[in-house]
Amino acid sequence: MAPLSSLLFFLLTVHSVNALKCYVCPSATTNQECNKNTQDCQAPLDTCMTTVGTLGQFTGISKMCSNSKICTSAAAVASVDNNGNGVQVTCCNSYLCNYSGAASVTLHRWLLVLPLLLITLLFRQQA
């Protein structure tokens, strides 16, 4: 009886771990086209990475599972000029979080600007 109760105890204490799932596509011209396939990311891939390249009217989108350090580094060097040409890289790490690359780009910009605005307001109040 002891082995059976030990097995039951083990099964009750082990929780299933849901791996990160991302939308993946090697190359697409629209977000809808890119969101047709998903993939469970395997360790050490802990981030969904979306890359959007724009040149004039042409857009290329790539989505994949990535390592957070690699994605963050790619996002730091990506840039877009005043005409909207260039590359944007976004990183996220929740279930199917890379559904809309454009929305997350806008969100990341606000997350960068908001602390700067708060710091500016604090300095103005102290002066």
Side-chain angles (χ1 to χ4, degrees):
M1 216 40 154
L4 182 60
S5 61
S6 297
L7 178 62
L8 182 60
F9 176 76
F10 177 75
L11 291 175
L12 290 174
T13 57
V14 173
H15 299 282
S16 64
V17 177
N18 293 330
L20 176 66
K21 184 175 269 196
C22 301
Y23 288 100
V24 295
C25 70
S27 179
T29 57
T30 67
N31 200 46
Q32 293 78 15
E33 181 184 346
C34 206
N35 287 344
K36 291 182 180 177
N37 297 310
T38 61
Q39 179 180 344
D40 288 325
C41 303
Q42 301 299 317
L45 306 179
D46 58 355
T47 301
C48 299
M49 179 174 168
T50 302
T51 305
V52 179
T54 305
L55 182 59
Q57 295 179 341
F58 300 102
T59 300
I61 302 170
S62 172
K63 296 183 180 188
M64 66 184 77
C65 294
S66 179
N67 176 280
S68 61
K69 290 180 182 178
I70 292 170
C71 191
T72 303
S73 296
V77 297
S79 66
V80 177
D81 65 17
N82 292 335
N83 296 322
N85 296 317
V87 176
Q88 296 174 327
V89 176
T90 56
C91 312
C92 59
N93 57 6
S94 60
Y95 186 82
L96 296 177
C97 60
N98 62 337
Y99 178 77
S100 173
S104 58
V105 169
T106 304
L107 178 62
H108 287 301
R109 284 185 186 156
W110 278 110
L111 289 176
L112 290 172
V113 171
L114 187 60
L116 293 174
L117 290 172
L118 292 173
I119 291 170
T120 302
L121 289 173
L122 287 173
F123 280 122
R124 286 188 180 178
Q125 288 179 352
Q126 291 178 359

